[in-house]
Amino acid sequence: MTWGHPRVPHGQSILSVSQYGRTAVEDLFDVIDRKDWGDCTGKIIANLFYEPSTRTSSSFHAAMLKLGGNVIPINEVTYSSVSKGETLEDTIRTLGCYVDAIVLRHPDDDAALVAHKVSSVPIVNAGCGSGEHPTQALLDLYTIYKENHTIDGLTVTLMGDLRYGRTVHSLVQLLGYFNVKIQFVSPPDLRIPGKYAKMGTIVELNDVLSTTDVLYLTRVQKERHTDHASIFEPLEADYAAAPFSYGITEEHMASAKRGLTLMHPLPRLSEIPKEIDSDPRAAYFRQVRYGLDVRMALLSGILQED
Amino acid sequence: MTWGHPRVPHGQSILSVSQYGRTAVEDLFDVIDRKDWGDCTGKIIANLFYEPSTRTSSSFHAAMLKLGGNVIPINEVTYSSVSKGETLEDTIRTLGCYVDAIVLRHPDDDAALVAHKVSSVPIVNAGCGSGEHPTQALLDLYTIYKENHTIDGLTVTLMGDLRYGRTVHSLVQLLGYFNVKIQFVSPPDLRIPGKYAKMGTIVELNDVLSTTDVLYLTRVQKERHTDHASIFEPLEADYAAAPFSYGITEEHMASAKRGLTLMHPLPRLSEIPKEIDSDPRAAYFRQVRYGLDVRMALLSGILQED
Amino acid sequence: MTWGHPRVPHGQSILSVSQYGRTAVEDLFDVIDRKDWGDCTGKIIANLFYEPSTRTSSSFHAAMLKLGGNVIPINEVTYSSVSKGETLEDTIRTLGCYVDAIVLRHPDDDAALVAHKVSSVPIVNAGCGSGEHPTQALLDLYTIYKENHTIDGLTVTLMGDLRYGRTVHSLVQLLGYFNVKIQFVSPPDLRIPGKYAKMGTIVELNDVLSTTDVLYLTRVQKERHTDHASIFEPLEADYAAAPFSYGITEEHMASAKRGLTLMHPLPRLSEIPKEIDSDPRAAYFRQVRYGLDVRMALLSGILQED
């Protein structure tokens, strides 16, 4: 890998954060800052979701509408026996006859790449298997940049389920392009995998809270904690098997930097109590809003060139 | 409550008919008569339906499209264990980053108010629990007004399940602003609750048919009567437990006023036989059409101001 | 029936291929060739699908968006007991208040006609029961015409499940307007019904391969062949009961005409192996693309006149 070099391969598809070197990231963020995206009137995307994720699909849907384009939502994909039969490749080739790009969520790690190989239109990986979720990682990084007016020089602490969280894996990869101190906080069973672990240090929250610029939390499943249904990201089954209890508290916030950026990809459960929402350092809903801009820039980019 | 006074509180959200006094209702109807609604090009609403109601969601969807705006339909919300976790508040805050207003149907009575309290965009109550369904009540009242060119002076008879029908409860409240004679016809078990009962008189249909200007029927469940699936409003479970048999017949129509307005919120079952559809006094499909105008006016109103 | 005469009855609804005589087909194809369809800005259709068919609904959705119009997708129709109650007629009358045309898929053979009789807006039959699927047949015929620059004089061989395939039945009817030699290849249990059989000859593939201009295959279910879910057409239950094994092979393609048009309504299973996709004679994905143009022309036609 050529860290830090400008890239963006794979035709116009967005498959992996590894397509983005430092220069490509900086160019993208410059486009977003200037809201310098083109009009997509007359363009159509398909939101092809083999797994439900209303959060992500709504974000792409809104981004496309705000660009002037349109969306065909295909959310009802099921694995029932009655609908068995067609390969992903044929589905992609068919949809490619109707739309200008396909936003794909799929349970298989390699689905985006498989789709890209046969597709006549760009594929956007909106989360496939336990692999990549590149647009989420780019919006996370953009949030860090917007909240701090820089990325270089920051101390970023990632906390929670670092083992299964594809969001975290992709974000660590992007942070590697910058001069950032990376720290990991997690229960032993949910440690960051080795290939990412070497890019940072495993620490305890209390030891690093006062020096952390960005604290990025991920979901924790506390059994039977919830009383509302999430319409957004379903929780991975693994959580249910290994519930554990921790999170950030108001006491933690009191010890943290005044300029802290507290982030979370949402949905959050007990790991961030509601009381913290009114703290100006709680950036997770601004993160949602930045995500819309990031996806507008990305969609506009791939749709303008064809 | 200040009956008859102009109101419309709660920011721009539409939560309850109690926001509308007589003056506010008259102003609204004047807007609808003149089709004096603004263009909503570039605006987006989310149709967030935790309960299926294709009838209501289609109506809002069509209204928004006709205003030039767009809709993100979120109909697949389920209570499956896998999707549990996020609070309604967080869902609303997230969607508020994407859209300009949220149309909400939810099984909890207080959901619209809960949503409104945390929302950065207007909430439209599209039926929550057994409580309010304000846009339905407003379209019912508008239908009465259009069919009769007035509301004051009319005799309105409400018939059917008056106990559980949130539509009826909201309509009675609105009728209270006007000089209207209200009558209730229902089986003993499905009588109008006390707080509304005192606004009218409990009667028998045959005693009042010849003097009724508006006859408003609601659903009756006759067991195994149906052979088609409704794609619209699901029937409340209570009906199944207490089926009963009655409705309006061609003989009733022969005894009714020549100028009668026969209304129904739909779906109708056996309480209005098909043969009556061709009677010019059968107003229930015109009622559907008026509903589109009412919702265009309401959506335009809340979206223009922000 | 008056074969070959110009027709297109039933108001503006598209219910059956029998509405199209030779002249009407030729006029339609001329419109498509010249892409001479009108703008549908401000028009709305409902995609009312009582059976899932993402392939067909996406095609109509994309066609309408490309015409400048909008779509209300109603895909979640279920037959659960909780949603029972409303007749198809009432559903159609309600939707007719909201939209300019209704695209209907339904399990009952006569649903499109039933809907048409009560509808205030045109109905498009998008496949009802085991009966008609007229827009599929028209796009199949248009594909034959585009790939061969003619229809008259061709030898067309239809192969697969000719008994249950409504697509095949409608196509045979349309081919009857032209000077075409029709041949049928199928297992004994899945033979073409008598009324269509007399329009062609029952043959063996190897006997006719070298003289066939158009080879039209339909789905074959090989048990447990599949590992991906189809998001498109569900397979008929009958297939599962009577699986059989055959299809077209590379060897067959080597013996076939250089100018062969190989068609399939998709989804395909094992009856056409992937290796054949790169053969320029494999026309099935071009067929998908032609379908978009055909549906744009048909929708534009029925929406312009009102």
Side-chain angles (χ1 to χ4, degrees):
Chain A
M1 287 215 278
T2 51
W3 296 98
H5 281 61
R7 289 167 259 170
V8 175
H10 288 304
Q12 303 170 39
S13 290
I14 300 171
L15 303 178
S16 162
V17 289
S18 65
Q19 293 174 241
Y20 292 83
R22 175 163 182 151
T23 306
V25 165
E26 288 174 340
D27 288 351
L28 175 67
F29 287 4
D30 186 50
V31 166
I32 303 169
D33 282 349
R34 291 182 290 110
K35 296 190 187 295
D36 183 29
W37 39 67
D39 182 65
C40 292
T41 301
K43 301 282 187 183
I44 306 171
I45 63 167
N47 265 358
L48 178 60
F49 277 60
Y50 284 82
E51 292 180 329
S53 175
T54 306
R55 179 182 300 279
T56 301
S57 71
S58 296
S59 176
F60 277 107
H61 201 135
M64 190 60 185
L65 292 176
K66 283 175 187 285
L67 289 167
N70 259 303
V71 181
I72 300 179
I74 306 176
N75 289 313
E76 74 271 29
V77 184
T78 48
Y79 281 86
S80 70
S81 62
V82 80
S83 62
K84 281 209 171 163
E86 183 166 78
T87 61
L88 176 63
E89 287 93 329
D90 277 11
T91 300
I92 293 292
R93 266 181 275 200
T94 297
L95 280 178
C97 298
Y98 301 151
V99 299
D100 301 294
I102 299 169
V103 177
L104 176 68
R105 169 157 298 200
H106 196 281
D108 295 349
D109 284 24
D110 65 343
L113 189 60
V114 166
H116 168 76
K117 281 183 182 159
V118 300
S119 183
S120 59
V121 299
I123 300 295
V124 179
N125 181 350
C128 288
S130 56
E132 291 254 13
H133 193 353
T135 66
Q136 178 71 41
L138 287 165
L139 80 84
D140 288 341
L141 188 65
Y142 185 70
T143 301
I144 292 172
Y145 156 69
K146 288 301 278 187
E147 295 279 317
N148 296 277
H149 309 291
T150 181
I151 299 172
D152 289 317
L154 296 177
T155 296
V156 179
T157 303
L158 301 149
M159 174 172 163
D161 176 359
L162 307 183
R163 184 169 168 197
Y164 296 110
R166 59 187 166 199
T167 298
V168 168
H169 302 169
S170 296
L171 179 56
V172 167
Q173 203 174 329
L174 285 180
L175 286 169
Y177 303 153
F178 296 84
N179 179 24
V180 170
K181 185 175 179 183
I182 302 177
Q183 302 175 134
F184 304 111
V185 177
S186 70
D189 287 353
L190 297 174
R191 279 225 178 105
I192 191 98
K195 67 185 269 201
Y196 303 111
K198 62 188 173 198
M199 297 179 65
T201 319
I202 293 174
V203 299
E204 292 297 322
L205 181 62
N206 287 328
D207 298 341
V208 300
L209 198 49
S210 63
T211 56
T212 289
D213 298 298
V214 176
L215 180 58
Y216 188 106
L217 267 77
T218 60
R219 269 195 301 259
V220 172
Q221 171 80 346
K222 284 186 75 175
E223 272 181 330
R224 296 191 178 73
H225 171 81
T226 65
D227 52 356
H228 275 88
S230 172
I231 61 158
F232 293 131
E233 314 273 345
L235 297 168
E236 280 87 11
D238 304 75
Y239 280 110
F244 61 100
S245 171
Y246 75 82
I248 189 99
T249 64
E250 288 179 278
E251 290 67 43
H252 286 128
M253 292 303 282
S255 313
K257 275 195 172 185
R258 284 183 55 190
L260 178 76
T261 304
L262 180 62
M263 297 174 64
H264 194 294
L266 303 180
R268 52 83 183 261
L269 299 171
S270 60
E271 63 273 13
I272 303 183
K274 258 165 99 162
E275 290 67 33
I276 291 177
D277 294 0
S278 55
D279 191 311
R281 297 171 293 181
Y284 28 92
F285 289 111
R286 294 194 292 278
Q287 192 177 350
V288 173
R289 185 61 189 75
Y290 292 134
L292 191 60
D293 289 342
V294 169
R295 289 184 171 124
M296 287 178 75
L298 290 170
L299 285 176
S300 167
I302 63 174
L303 291 168
Q304 295 303 309
E305 299 166 42
D306 64 52
Chain B
M1 287 214 277
T2 51
W3 296 98
H5 281 62
R7 285 167 264 171
V8 174
H10 287 305
Q12 304 169 39
S13 289
I14 300 170
L15 304 177
S16 162
V17 289
S18 65
Q19 292 173 243
Y20 293 83
R22 176 166 180 148
T23 307
V25 165
E26 288 174 340
D27 288 351
L28 175 68
F29 288 2
D30 187 50
V31 166
I32 303 169
D33 281 350
R34 291 182 290 110
K35 297 190 186 297
D36 182 29
W37 38 68
D39 182 65
C40 291
T41 300
K43 302 282 187 184
I44 306 171
I45 63 167
N47 265 359
L48 178 61
F49 278 60
Y50 284 82
E51 291 180 330
S53 175
T54 306
R55 180 181 300 280
T56 301
S57 70
S58 296
S59 176
F60 277 106
H61 201 134
M64 189 60 185
L65 293 176
K66 283 176 186 285
L67 289 167
N70 258 302
V71 181
I72 300 180
I74 306 177
N75 289 312
E76 75 269 29
V77 184
T78 48
Y79 282 85
S80 70
S81 61
V82 80
S83 64
K84 280 209 171 161
E86 183 166 77
T87 63
L88 176 63
E89 287 93 329
D90 277 11
T91 301
I92 293 291
R93 265 180 276 199
T94 297
L95 280 179
C97 297
Y98 302 150
V99 299
D100 301 295
I102 298 168
V103 177
L104 177 68
R105 168 156 299 200
H106 195 283
D108 295 349
D109 284 24
D110 65 343
L113 189 59
V114 167
H116 169 75
K117 280 183 181 159
V118 300
S119 183
S120 59
V121 299
I123 300 294
V124 179
N125 181 351
C128 288
S130 57
E132 290 254 12
H133 193 353
T135 66
Q136 177 71 41
L138 287 165
L139 81 84
D140 288 340
L141 189 64
Y142 185 70
T143 302
I144 292 172
Y145 156 68
K146 288 301 279 186
E147 296 278 318
N148 296 278
H149 310 290
T150 181
I151 299 173
D152 288 318
L154 295 177
T155 297
V156 178
T157 302
L158 301 148
M159 173 172 164
D161 175 359
L162 307 183
R163 183 168 170 199
Y164 296 110
R166 60 188 165 198
T167 298
V168 167
H169 303 170
S170 295
L171 178 57
V172 167
Q173 203 173 329
L174 285 181
L175 286 170
Y177 303 152
F178 296 84
N179 178 24
V180 170
K181 182 174 181 183
I182 302 177
Q183 301 175 134
F184 303 111
V185 177
S186 70
D189 287 352
L190 298 174
R191 279 225 178 105
I192 191 96
K195 68 186 269 202
Y196 303 110
K198 63 187 170 197
M199 297 179 66
T201 318
I202 294 174
V203 298
E204 292 297 322
L205 181 62
N206 287 327
D207 297 341
V208 300
L209 198 49
S210 64
T211 57
T212 289
D213 297 299
V214 175
L215 180 57
Y216 188 106
L217 266 78
T218 60
R219 268 196 302 262
V220 172
Q221 172 80 349
K222 284 187 74 174
E223 272 181 329
R224 296 190 179 73
H225 172 80
T226 64
D227 52 356
H228 276 86
S230 172
I231 62 159
F232 294 131
E233 315 273 345
L235 297 168
E236 280 86 12
D238 303 75
Y239 280 110
F244 60 99
S245 170
Y246 77 82
I248 189 98
T249 63
E250 288 179 277
E251 290 68 43
H252 286 128
M253 292 303 283
S255 314
K257 275 195 173 185
R258 282 184 57 191
L260 179 75
T261 304
L262 180 61
M263 296 174 63
H264 194 294
L266 302 181
R268 52 85 181 259
L269 298 172
S270 60
E271 63 273 14
I272 303 183
K274 258 164 99 164
E275 290 67 34
I276 291 177
D277 294 359
S278 55
D279 190 311
R281 297 171 291 181
Y284 27 92
F285 288 110
R286 294 195 292 277
Q287 193 177 348
V288 173
R289 184 62 188 76
Y290 292 134
L292 190 61
D293 288 342
V294 170
R295 290 184 170 123
M296 286 178 75
L298 290 170
L299 285 176
S300 168
I302 63 174
L303 291 167
Q304 295 303 308
E305 299 166 43
D306 63 52
Chain C
M1 287 215 277
T2 51
W3 297 98
H5 280 61
R7 287 166 261 169
V8 174
H10 288 304
Q12 304 170 39
S13 290
I14 300 170
L15 304 178
S16 161
V17 289
S18 65
Q19 293 174 242
Y20 293 82
R22 175 166 182 149
T23 306
V25 165
E26 287 173 340
D27 288 351
L28 175 67
F29 288 3
D30 186 51
V31 166
I32 303 169
D33 281 349
R34 290 183 289 111
K35 296 190 186 297
D36 183 29
W37 40 67
D39 183 64
C40 291
T41 300
K43 300 283 186 182
I44 305 171
I45 63 167
N47 266 359
L48 177 62
F49 278 60
Y50 285 82
E51 292 180 329
S53 175
T54 307
R55 179 182 301 278
T56 301
S57 71
S58 297
S59 176
F60 277 107
H61 201 135
M64 190 60 185
L65 292 176
K66 283 175 187 287
L67 288 167
N70 259 303
V71 180
I72 300 180
I74 307 176
N75 289 311
E76 73 270 29
V77 184
T78 48
Y79 280 86
S80 70
S81 61
V82 79
S83 63
K84 281 209 171 162
E86 183 166 78
T87 61
L88 175 64
E89 287 92 330
D90 278 11
T91 300
I92 292 291
R93 267 181 273 200
T94 297
L95 280 179
C97 297
Y98 302 150
V99 299
D100 302 293
I102 298 169
V103 177
L104 176 68
R105 168 157 299 200
H106 195 282
D108 295 349
D109 284 24
D110 65 343
L113 189 61
V114 166
H116 169 76
K117 280 183 181 159
V118 300
S119 183
S120 59
V121 299
I123 301 293
V124 179
N125 180 351
C128 288
S130 58
E132 290 255 12
H133 193 351
T135 65
Q136 177 71 40
L138 287 164
L139 80 85
D140 288 342
L141 189 65
Y142 185 70
T143 302
I144 293 172
Y145 155 69
K146 288 300 278 187
E147 296 278 318
N148 295 278
H149 311 290
T150 181
I151 299 173
D152 287 318
L154 296 177
T155 297
V156 178
T157 303
L158 301 149
M159 173 173 164
D161 175 0
L162 306 183
R163 183 168 169 200
Y164 296 110
R166 60 187 165 199
T167 298
V168 168
H169 303 171
S170 295
L171 178 57
V172 167
Q173 202 173 330
L174 285 180
L175 286 170
Y177 303 152
F178 295 84
N179 179 23
V180 170
K181 183 174 179 184
I182 302 177
Q183 301 174 134
F184 304 112
V185 177
S186 70
D189 286 354
L190 297 175
R191 280 224 179 107
I192 190 96
K195 68 187 267 202
Y196 303 110
K198 62 188 171 198
M199 296 179 65
T201 319
I202 294 174
V203 298
E204 292 298 321
L205 181 63
N206 287 327
D207 298 340
V208 299
L209 198 48
S210 64
T211 56
T212 289
D213 297 299
V214 176
L215 179 57
Y216 188 106
L217 266 78
T218 60
R219 268 196 301 262
V220 172
Q221 172 81 347
K222 282 186 75 174
E223 272 182 330
R224 295 190 179 75
H225 171 81
T226 65
D227 52 356
H228 277 86
S230 171
I231 62 160
F232 293 130
E233 314 273 345
L235 297 169
E236 280 86 13
D238 303 75
Y239 281 110
F244 60 99
S245 170
Y246 75 83
I248 190 99
T249 63
E250 288 179 278
E251 290 67 43
H252 285 128
M253 292 303 282
S255 314
K257 275 196 172 184
R258 283 183 57 190
L260 179 76
T261 303
L262 179 62
M263 297 175 63
H264 194 294
L266 303 180
R268 51 85 181 258
L269 298 171
S270 60
E271 63 273 14
I272 304 183
K274 258 164 100 163
E275 290 67 34
I276 291 177
D277 294 359
S278 55
D279 190 312
R281 297 172 292 182
Y284 28 92
F285 289 110
R286 294 194 294 276
Q287 193 177 349
V288 173
R289 184 61 190 77
Y290 292 134
L292 191 61
D293 288 342
V294 170
R295 289 182 172 125
M296 286 177 75
L298 290 170
L299 285 176
S300 168
I302 63 175
L303 291 167
Q304 295 303 309
E305 298 166 43
D306 64 52

